[in-house]
Amino acid sequence: MQDNSIAHAAELLRQALSVSVLTGAGVSKESGIPTYRDALTGLWANYDFTELASPEGFQRNPKLVWDWYTERRVQLQAVQPNAGHYALAQLAQRYSNFTLITQNVDDLHERAGSRGVLHLHGSLMQTRCFFDCQGHPTMVEEADFITPDQDGPPACPHCGRWLRPDVVWFGEMLPYGMIEMAKHAVINSDVVLVIGTSGMVYPAAGLPHAAYHAGISVIEINPEETDLSQLASLTLRGASGIILPQLLEAL
Ligand code: OAD
């Protein structure tokens, strides 16, 4: 019978020399940031996400989209990393090969002390030219934003056209080389932790599949069963802000 205990997970982690972690929105939930797919409170619950998270939606209504991300930026600045973020930053100290891969666009892993985080879906706090007028990506600092004459997003200081948040929208490619780096880390790991993701968005969700097919131990931490649960050699059911500190303690 499968032993889904913290002690068993700690044993796998003790034996590992190389560890990768994939996180999703669930890891930031206890900080007060809603997940995407929670039916009642999720970020997509009250909105048509194709309008808020696609280049076409942005072109249709740039002000609505810019304002929605501005609201999320303000919300992010008002919250703090939780015990799960801190536990992952501490876990990294135990390994010379440790890669933290996140789908989250928040900066809570970094604020908890994690370094070299691979942000598969970009960063909410960064901004670039929608047209990448100086080459892909054309990043723009907030100090250089040009306030628009009419309602809309600020203008690019290079070309005068719209700025956008540097997050990956539906139908867009991930940042150059990012998924390759993440996959390289995952398939060279002894243990892969999959935390707080529904596993519904690809290519990110392909990473636990790659680990599984390479015969690597996958440990899932999530209060709910997910599309990825069947790949896990071990599942810890609960909130990551509670489970991760317990796991660290058991190591
Ligand atoms: P989802 O909203 O799809 O899933 C969140 C997961 O977190 C669910 O499986 C929950 O059960 C779990 N969860 C809830 N509370 C938790 C807690 N306290 N501790 C641990 N887990 C908890 O979010 P993601 O899987 O991250 O993409 O979504 C993937 C992508 O879909 C996002 O990066 C975003 C979205 O569209 C882009 O913006 C490109």
Side-chain angles (χ1 to χ4, degrees):
M1 203 178 97
Q2 194 174 324
D3 172 13
N4 286 321
S5 66
I6 297 225
H8 186 200
E11 184 55 34
L12 289 176
L13 283 169
R14 257 197 303 276
Q15 287 165 7
L17 296 175
S18 177
V19 171
S20 293
V21 181
L22 173 68
T23 64
V27 85
S28 296
K29 185 165 174 178
E30 289 151 274
S31 292
I33 301 183
T35 62
Y36 292 91
R37 293 180 179 76
D38 188 302
L40 293 176
T41 57
L43 284 172
W44 298 151
N46 301 314
Y47 295 96
D48 176 356
F49 65 78
T50 52
E51 289 306 311
L52 293 168
S54 73
E56 297 78 18
F58 184 62
Q59 277 171 304
R60 272 192 290 274
N61 200 338
K63 178 170 166 50
L64 173 93
V65 175
W66 179 264
D67 288 352
W68 190 76
Y69 283 96
T70 300
E71 215 175 283
R72 289 186 58 202
R73 259 185 228 120
V74 170
Q75 177 189 48
L76 173 57
Q77 279 161 326
V79 304
Q80 301 301 329
N82 64 57
H85 296 108
Y86 286 111
L88 286 174
Q90 274 182 270
L91 186 65
Q93 305 297 320
R94 303 180 65 102
Y95 300 94
S96 48
N97 286 316
F98 184 93
T99 308
L100 179 51
I101 305 157
T102 189
Q103 297 166 85
N104 297 345
V105 296
D106 66 49
D107 58 355
L108 294 176
H109 283 308
E110 283 84 356
R111 279 157 57 187
S114 288
R115 294 292 168 259
V117 183
L118 299 183
H119 279 270
L120 297 180
H121 295 161
S123 297
L124 186 58
M125 300 310 287
Q126 291 178 6
T127 303
R128 64 178 223 260
C129 173
F130 180 64
F131 299 93
D132 282 328
C133 66
Q134 307 296 301
H136 187 89
T138 300
M139 307 304 295
V140 177
E141 296 295 323
E142 195 167 344
D144 299 327
F145 289 7
I146 298 173
T147 311
D149 294 337
Q150 292 164 354
D151 266 1
C156 172
H158 306 292
C159 69
R161 294 178 291 174
W162 298 327
L163 292 177
R164 59 165 285 176
D166 185 33
V167 301
V168 176
W169 283 333
F170 288 97
E172 293 187 318
M173 305 282 283
L174 268 49
Y176 181 74
M178 195 63 85
I179 196 71
E180 291 76 10
M181 263 193 287
K183 189 167 175 193
H184 180 80
V186 161
I187 61 175
N188 286 293
S189 297
D190 302 312
V191 171
V192 175
L193 290 166
V194 179
I195 309 171
T197 178
S198 61
M200 288 167 72
V201 174
Y202 285 78
L207 295 169
H209 285 271
Y212 173 81
H213 290 298
I216 295 163
S217 300
V218 174
I219 300 175
E220 181 182 59
I221 301 177
N222 197 310
E224 310 281 336
E225 184 159 346
T226 73
D227 288 2
L228 302 172
S229 300
Q230 56 184 340
L231 308 173
S233 19
L234 199 156
T235 48
L236 300 174
R237 290 271 168 254
S240 49
I242 293 173
I243 302 267
L244 280 167
Q246 289 175 351
L247 189 54
L248 198 68
E249 179 80 29
L251 273 179

